[in-house]
Amino acid sequence: MAVRSASEGILSDAKRAEREELIGMLTKAYWMEIETVMSYIANSINPDGVRAQEIIESLQGDIQEELGHAQQYAQRIKELYGVVPGSLDFTAEQSYLQPPEHQTDIVHVIKGVIEAETGAIEHYNRIIEFTDGLDFVTQDMVIAILRDEEGHRRLFEGYLREYEVEGLA
Ligand SMILES: [Fe+2]
Ligand SMILES: [Fe+2]
């Protein structure tokens, strides 16, 4: 007996085109998370100085969360009949999170994190809009991830504010 495919929803044959477009968006999100993990590892270890400690500890915590996001995106790609890409497909984009000239330059790191979180927030909002009425499961997952990224950005905006008050940013 042939296994029948779902007649309704994102897994149905009728939704193949939308599903493939969504897999493309999820793949981009997956790579964004993977690159963020790389950038946050470097930026949680490189910084020097007394004031670097808070940033280091904060980024150490975020690494695990971003890794969890990458795994969730990968899992959802598979559930949608996609294939999680191999590393050769990866292209780096986070120019703003490269190591600064001086490792005491904490403002550079804070601004880089805010830029990375902002990019994620923008892309995840697009996925949430795209999946509205189309794939509530993916939408639900991405809404939860979006909240994490909004929290990350808000935390680092607070760090930046402290430097701005002192005229250092
Ligand atoms: Fe993330
Ligand atoms: Fe984040």
Side-chain angles (χ1 to χ4, degrees):
M1 191 181 83
V3 175
R4 73 184 189 92
S5 48
S7 59
E8 297 290 336
I10 191 66
L11 297 180
S12 65
D13 288 341
K15 293 280 164 59
R16 175 183 294 274
E18 291 95 328
R19 196 164 63 237
E20 279 170 7
E21 190 173 349
L22 177 57
I23 288 169
M25 297 173 93
L26 295 175
T27 301
K28 179 179 166 65
Y30 170 74
W31 287 132
M32 289 170 86
E33 297 289 350
I34 294 285
E35 186 171 14
T36 298
V37 168
M38 283 194 270
S39 294
Y40 287 6
I41 289 174
N43 286 291
S44 69
I45 290 176
N46 286 333
D48 282 323
V50 178
R51 303 184 74 167
Q53 288 316 305
E54 188 70 30
I55 304 300
I56 285 173
E57 283 171 28
S58 185
L59 285 177
Q60 280 173 344
D62 285 352
I63 290 164
Q64 304 307 323
E65 272 195 52
E66 311 297 10
L67 188 57
H69 295 163
Q71 289 175 303
Q72 287 183 67
Y73 280 121
Q75 187 65 49
R76 191 61 186 154
I77 288 167
K78 176 167 179 162
E79 285 163 0
L80 294 174
Y81 303 133
V83 175
V84 184
S87 57
L88 287 180
D89 283 353
F90 176 70
T91 310
E93 291 180 353
Q94 292 180 349
S95 55
Y96 42 84
L97 267 174
Q98 303 309 299
E101 191 180 348
H102 302 289
Q103 302 313 315
T104 52
D105 187 357
I106 305 305
V107 170
H108 171 91
V109 175
I110 294 171
K111 287 183 172 173
V113 169
I114 292 172
E115 182 63 35
E117 299 294 345
T118 301
I121 287 166
E122 289 169 348
H123 185 55
Y124 301 171
N125 268 296
R126 284 194 289 270
I127 298 175
I128 290 164
E129 282 173 27
F130 183 80
T131 50
D132 195 48
L134 174 72
D135 177 359
F136 294 117
V137 174
T138 296
Q139 188 183 50
D140 187 58
M141 181 190 89
V142 179
I143 287 170
I145 295 174
L146 175 63
R147 188 182 185 184
D148 290 343
E149 314 302 12
E150 288 180 344
H152 296 159
R153 185 172 71 170
R154 180 61 188 90
L155 185 64
F156 277 76
E157 282 176 347
Y159 293 144
L160 188 62
R161 210 155 287 169
E162 191 177 299
Y163 284 88
E164 284 170 345
V165 166
E166 296 170 24
L168 297 172

